[in-house]
Amino acid sequence: MQYGPAVRRRKLGAELRALRARAGLKSGEAARLVGWHQSKVSRIETGRSGVKPADVRRLLDAYDVRDPELYELLVVLAGSDDDGRHHWWNAYRGLLPSTYSDFISLESQAGSMRTLENSVVPGLLQTPEYAREVTRAAVDGAHDGKVDALVEVRLARQDVLRSNKPLQLSAVLDEAVLRRTVGGPEVMARQLDRLREAAHLPHVRIQVLPFGVGAHIGVTGPFVIFSFTNRSDLDVVVLDHLTSSLYLEQREDLRSYEEAFDSLQGQALSPEDTLDFIAGVADGA
């Protein structure tokens, strides 16, 4: 059973500890309410032990937590139940690395996502054809069935932009993202059209960082910042590597990446000028 990265365990444990204190309960009292030993509550609250979503529900009910958004967020942070209910991506759990499942779970509950991309279009904005070419390159030698399933996952993730409370997406794209021909001219033409369509959505902000800016703070690599509505203590930075992902939770790390993203937005073209820029690249393709 995968319970997610240590960052999620610690954040979840700290939140459960705060909710217990708010309910006026000591750890032993909380344990008795749910029929556990006190040590189990302590291990969960300190992040030393993983916890199933069903157990999180028992604690939240015992603490009389009635905020539905907070309730669901903490359940999602716990990971997946044995039967895989509630989380669509569990249908692919034999295929997806745990770090990717962790990323999707955060993405599904975040209020906003800020991302810098230096090489490829962000997954939430990819067309099926573009996603297929990127997947083939990233998973070298994968058979067609696996590629198909991974593309399905990528496209299913895009539902967060179409929900009743859509994810607020801010993306800064290096010019290289637009210039790199992925899958050939026709695939790129459709992908550039998709970017322009997405840029008109009220909850999507796209800015291009042109080559003329020169060296900038984002040259060290792409990153994602997830933020949660009214829960800044749950915010997290995600850095992708070839074989793993790094989750940064410390306040000073978050502040550094937030300041970096603000700087990149200031150097990038405005959203309006970005639309013109993408159109120019498409015309010249």
Side-chain angles (χ1 to χ4, degrees):
M1 172 71 66
Q2 294 287 344
Y3 293 103
V7 56
R8 292 201 308 172
R9 290 201 305 269
R10 287 194 294 270
K11 286 178 179 294
L12 177 58
E15 187 63 30
L16 290 172
R17 182 171 59 250
L19 290 170
R20 173 179 58 76
R22 197 174 305 159
L25 297 170
K26 295 181 179 179
S27 59
E29 295 171 327
R32 284 193 294 274
L33 279 175
V34 296
W36 298 344
H37 192 278
Q38 181 179 357
S39 62
K40 179 173 180 176
V41 173
S42 297
R43 289 196 306 271
I44 290 171
E45 291 184 351
T46 56
R48 296 197 307 271
S49 174
V51 56
K52 295 180 180 180
D55 287 341
V56 171
R57 294 187 189 96
R58 293 176 70 180
L59 290 173
L60 295 177
D61 291 341
Y63 302 157
D64 195 28
V65 175
R66 300 184 181 183
D67 180 339
E69 291 188 1
L70 175 61
Y71 194 105
E72 181 60 21
L73 170 59
L74 296 181
V75 170
V76 169
L77 285 178
S80 61
D81 286 312
D82 291 332
D83 61 6
R85 58 183 170 161
H86 292 301
H87 312 328
W88 62 263
W89 54 91
N90 287 325
Y92 301 89
R93 58 186 169 184
L95 174 73
L96 304 180
S98 60
T99 52
Y100 193 16
S101 296
D102 294 330
F103 184 92
I104 296 172
S105 69
L106 291 171
E107 184 179 71
S108 72
Q109 286 297 309
S112 68
M113 173 180 173
R114 286 166 283 180
T115 181
L116 166 71
E117 281 290 354
N118 290 332
S119 300
V120 297
V121 171
L124 294 182
L125 302 175
Q126 292 178 6
T127 65
E129 299 86 357
Y130 186 99
R132 182 173 301 279
E133 294 299 327
V134 169
T135 301
R136 286 191 185 281
V139 190
D140 188 36
H143 58 78
D144 288 344
K146 183 174 183 178
V147 171
D148 290 344
L150 289 172
V151 172
E152 284 179 12
V153 170
R154 183 151 301 190
L155 298 180
R157 285 174 47 204
Q158 297 177 3
D159 283 346
V160 296
L161 297 179
R162 297 187 285 264
S163 65
N164 291 332
K165 290 185 177 180
L167 180 75
Q168 302 293 310
L169 174 63
S170 295
V172 173
L173 311 181
D174 191 277
E175 184 177 341
V177 172
L178 308 181
R179 301 289 184 187
R180 177 170 288 103
T181 302
V182 174
E186 291 184 2
V187 171
M188 282 305 300
R190 286 192 290 271
Q191 180 59 71
L192 293 175
D193 284 343
R194 168 64 180 141
L195 285 177
R196 285 186 286 180
E197 292 170 4
H200 284 98
L201 296 173
H203 51 281
V204 174
R205 179 186 179 94
I206 300 174
Q207 294 178 257
V208 167
L209 199 63
F211 289 148
V213 168
H216 54 76
I217 197 168
V219 298
T220 55
F223 60 86
V224 172
I225 306 172
F226 285 121
S227 297
F228 297 86
T229 305
N230 300 322
R231 305 299 310 179
S232 62
D233 53 320
L234 295 176
D235 292 357
V236 62
V237 175
V238 185
L239 308 178
D240 270 336
H241 301 291
L242 183 61
T243 58
S244 64
S245 295
L246 177 65
Y247 291 74
L248 304 178
E249 60 175 320
Q250 298 299 321
R251 188 65 251 174
E252 56 268 27
D253 291 327
L254 285 164
R255 187 179 303 111
S256 294
Y257 278 90
E258 288 169 344
E259 291 174 354
F261 192 80
D262 289 343
S263 174
L264 292 166
Q265 282 191 311
Q267 292 176 281
L269 300 175
S270 69
E272 296 76 19
D273 289 342
T274 288
L275 280 171
D276 293 338
F277 191 91
I278 295 174
V281 173
D283 291 341

